[in-house]
Amino acid sequence: DQQVKQNSPSLSVQEGRISILNCDYTNSMFDYFLWYKKYPAEGPTFLISISSIKDKNEDGRFTVFLNKSAKHLSLHIVPSQPGDSAVYFCAASFGQGAQKLVFGQGTRLTINP
Amino acid sequence: EPEVTQTPSHQVTQMGQEVILRCVPISNHLYFYWYRQILGQKVEFLVSFYNNEISEKSEIFDDQFSVERPDGSNFTLKIRSTKLEDSAMYFCASSVGPTGGRSGANVLTFGAGSRLTVL
């Protein structure tokens, strides 16, 4: 069951540049998409979300873009900072019931000074 | 900032033993969840709990697993007879709940996790 996929296990970006993390999904019934960030020995921390009826949501340095026709979303971090080094998970939820989150495999982002 | 707390942070047990993982969700949250992450794999949904009953469970959540909210503040996951493949990080999460319609995402707040090692 690979409803949410993050095909890049790792990404390395120079400090100050843009980080782009990608996520694909297969189920067109998802209503919301969320990005979580995870540091070692901590639980996932919510970053930003987007409704399936939007194509962009921005919060400070973080912007999420949604392309419904391609079933693809991306998280842009500008400018990247060393503290952004973490594992980033894409997650999706349905609009019914308890709205559990379905997670992708995660992408490890490393920001180089 | 309110947080979800989990105990123990690490538990080592022998195969076949019972394990109870404990969680204290955020006090005004109504929905509670358990997820797990086997080393190197993705975070997997186990179960959701609302209004003192299971609202959804995954195929992983078989008869060996149970959840309980014994006293209005704790939320526990019990594994009756642990297997080697139960070794994982177990995350508890809670949320205010779905807001209905398209007014907002159901944002889960996660605890730091309980690492379970089954020998």
Side-chain angles (χ1 to χ4, degrees):
Chain A
D1 179 357
Q2 292 282 318
Q3 294 192 77
V4 179
K5 288 190 224 181
Q6 292 174 258
N7 291 318
S8 299
S10 63
L11 176 67
S12 189
V13 173
Q14 205 73 20
E15 182 179 357
R17 307 293 280 266
I18 184 170
S19 295
I20 300 176
L21 298 118
N22 293 304
C23 177
D24 298 296
Y25 62 95
T26 56
N27 195 327
S28 57
M29 300 300 290
F30 286 132
D31 273 14
Y32 290 97
F33 302 91
L34 301 86
W35 285 93
Y36 278 79
K37 170 175 160 178
K38 186 181 178 308
Y39 292 119
E42 293 184 14
T45 304
F46 171 72
L47 267 180
I48 191 169
S49 66
I50 187 167
S51 163
S52 61
I53 61 170
K54 308 264 187 184
D55 54 21
K56 178 182 172 182
N57 189 26
E58 191 171 350
D59 183 1
R61 296 186 299 115
F62 302 92
T63 303
V64 56
F65 294 93
L66 175 62
N67 181 334
K68 278 192 76 172
S69 60
K71 294 194 177 71
H72 176 85
L73 62 154
S74 60
L75 174 68
H76 292 212
I77 307 173
V78 181
S80 301
Q81 299 173 354
D84 296 330
S85 295
V87 177
Y88 288 78
F89 290 98
C90 171
S93 70
F94 302 98
Q96 303 298 320
Q99 291 190 4
K100 70 179 186 193
L101 297 182
V102 179
F103 282 87
Q105 302 93 320
T107 297
R108 180 177 301 279
L109 175 65
T110 303
I111 305 302
N112 302 308
Chain B
E1 188 171 328
E3 59 181 28
V4 175
T5 56
Q6 289 187 242
T7 54
S9 55
H10 189 192
Q11 179 149 1
V12 181
T13 190
Q14 295 291 324
M15 193 168 56
Q17 295 296 303
E18 176 183 283
V19 158
I20 297 177
L21 305 178
R22 292 183 167 78
C23 169
V24 179
I26 293 173
S27 60
N28 66 333
H29 284 187
L30 301 176
Y31 287 78
F32 313 112
Y33 307 80
W34 283 101
Y35 283 77
R36 78 173 185 190
Q37 185 181 27
I38 294 171
L39 189 63
Q41 298 186 24
K42 65 178 178 179
V43 178
E44 300 175 288
F45 169 76
L46 292 178
V47 66
S48 59
F49 192 85
Y50 169 71
N51 201 25
N52 283 318
E53 60 182 25
I54 291 173
S55 52
E56 188 175 353
K57 60 184 181 180
S58 72
E59 291 176 354
I60 303 166
F61 195 88
D62 61 22
D63 291 344
Q64 292 300 311
F65 291 88
S66 62
V67 289
E68 198 177 34
R69 189 154 161 80
D71 56 13
S73 62
N74 290 284
F75 179 52
T76 62
L77 174 69
K78 183 194 288 187
I79 309 174
R80 242 179 292 281
S81 177
T82 49
K83 303 187 281 266
L84 294 175
E85 55 264 38
D86 294 327
S87 293
M89 182 72 92
Y90 287 80
F91 293 105
C92 174
S94 67
S95 73
V96 171
T99 53
R102 296 186 184 279
S103 55
N106 182 32
V107 177
L108 274 61
T109 301
F110 285 84
S114 293
R115 180 170 298 285
L116 176 65
T117 302
V118 182
L119 302 176

